[in-house]
Amino acid sequence: MDSERLARRHLPLRDLGRLAHILRVAAEMGWRHYLERMHLQAHLPGEKAAATAATSEAERLRRTLEALGPAFVKFGQMLSVRQDLFPDEVIQELQKLQDAVPPFPAATTHQLIQETLGQPASQLFARFDDAPLAAASMAQVHGAVLDDGTAVVVKVQRPDIEQVIRTDLEILFFIARLAQRHLPEIRRYEPVTLVEDFADTITRELDFRREGHNAERFRELFAQEPAIYIPQVFWHLSSQRVLTMERSPGCKIGPDCPPAPESRQRLADTLVRLYLVQIFEQGFFHGDPHPGNLFVLADGRLCFHDFGIVGRLSAGDQVQLGQLLLSLVARDPAWMADTYLAMGGGAPGVDRAAFTRDLGELLEQYYAVAAREASFAEILNQFIRLGRRHRIRVLPQYLLAFKAFVTVESVARSLDPRFNMLAAFQAYVPQLLGRQWLPGMPQANDLLGGYRFLSTLRGTLSGGPDAFLRGLRQWEQGDLALRLRHEQLDEVQQHIDRAGNRLSLSLIIAALLIGSSLVMAFHSGPHYRGIPLLGLVGYLLASALGLWWAVAILRSGKL
């Protein structure tokens, strides 16, 4: 499916029956006044809907989505992570949405397998279990055994689900366009953009080959990681609508798995460490790490399942998330505010000072209880609420990463009630600074300010040429106006040149000092009698430049 074709301006005639059903359900749930404002009254039943004052709008929204079927339930589940857009009561109701449905008959399963794989299940598998292990709105999963004795799971797509999803997406686009046009209070949510994001996501989920490729990529990325296991994909038994993967011989993470407290504590640490690696190093992470998708093998390895939802982060996204994490560890609200504004879409006129002040209060509250019962999920939720209050939106890829962190912390705490996410972040700071091969950094916080300075300097220097070119283009187009007054301009130019040279030299000296401090702290590079030579050389060079600079200033007689 192509989201651009789905978003066409006119609704196909074949969808009118489904549209009438959707509007009737919406009217019965108490949304008639919105539908009339969208000029859809011609499609509504003549009678008025029953009073719905006894339930909140958030609850009615959830019940409406449940009544409209799998596409609308999936849409609601996607919206449930948009805490930057919707109020808490709406998010809480949407999080209750479940897509569990009755299984479809075994005969239908066998027919789909033969249609997509070209042979009946009895010839492809030594044993195939007709009773499904699980059933959901998009597919159901069966157990099976290959001829060589390998246990597998076979995920089979529901019949006609692609056409059902296509029809509902066309109607969602139609309703979103009308809402954006006729309901001013809805425009700030950008409903058409929300439906476009949903269409892209669910279209990818309908192609099981994508899920298989996601699993293979995880398998390749973690090939050298002894603490994780990714099931194998059997491509000769897979297609767009059928996916066959190795069945995990372990147990789902739960109250009794693993049973030993030491094993549970070690597994919690491993899970969080692997997620930090996925997000900050690989830029490719499992988007739905709930306990049902996490297994523990007999040898203690962690096994992931269900790769239908994955997150992808560009190098720039990883840098932004990394800086957000570093600012949290450094307890620097100004740094955090700058990063968060760069990550999202701040509305015009955002009060940065007020946002920074509110962030500072939030960080103080978090650190006041961080050593006891502070939950990273709670600080993250408050953080997103704060952004919403200041009209700051966050890009979807960041929200999926936030959701994954919240879920991972919940699983880690179920394994080890004493688990502290902040401590895990602090321990990861050396790797986040690009020093994975180095030992621990006991005084990491002391160097974060230096890292921020260098990062800001790098951004300023890299952005300077672009700013100059933009100004030059404006000049060429006649859009740039300059007003100059010539008063001893040559002397002013000399002062500017000297000030620029001094500033450049001071930045070089500062960079040498900070870089040498990092090298000394990490004990990296070659050593002589226990002293890192690179750090020593950096200190000597900075000292020589500083001394030369001081002598030059004293000789000029101008401090």
Side-chain angles (χ1 to χ4, degrees), residues 43 132 151 271 356 375:
H43 301 276
L271 174 62
T356 303
S375 165

Side-chain angles (χ1 to χ4, degrees), residues 426-446:
Q426 291 170 333
Y428 187 70
V429 164
Q431 286 81 355
L432 194 56
L433 293 174
R435 307 289 185 177
Q436 294 181 344
W437 52 278
L438 296 172
M441 185 173 68
Q443 301 296 330
N445 286 354
D446 296 338

Side-chain angles (χ1 to χ4, degrees), residues 1 6 11 14-16 18-19 22 161-172:
M1 285 186 290
L6 292 171
L11 194 67
R14 65 174 182 273
D15 295 344
L16 292 181
R18 173 63 173 163
L19 173 64
I22 290 171
I161 188 64
E162 184 174 354
Q163 183 56 48
V164 170
I165 296 295
R166 178 191 294 274
T167 298
D168 283 353
L169 284 176
E170 289 172 341
I171 293 173
L172 275 171

Side-chain angles (χ1 to χ4, degrees), residues 481-542:
L482 297 176
R483 298 180 63 184
L484 300 176
R485 180 181 297 173
H486 191 301
E487 291 182 359
Q488 297 179 333
L489 192 58
D490 293 338
E491 184 176 347
V492 172
Q493 180 65 43
Q494 292 176 4
H495 283 296
I496 292 174
D497 289 342
R498 285 197 296 269
N501 292 336
R502 291 175 181 177
L503 178 60
S504 300
L505 186 58
S506 65
L507 291 176
I508 293 172
I509 294 173
L512 283 171
L513 288 173
I514 293 172
S516 300
S517 299
L518 288 171
V519 171
M520 287 291 191
F522 291 135
H523 295 282
S524 61
H527 287 62
Y528 177 73
R529 295 186 177 182
I531 300 175
L533 291 179
L534 292 177
L536 180 60
V537 171
Y539 279 140
L540 292 175
L541 185 57

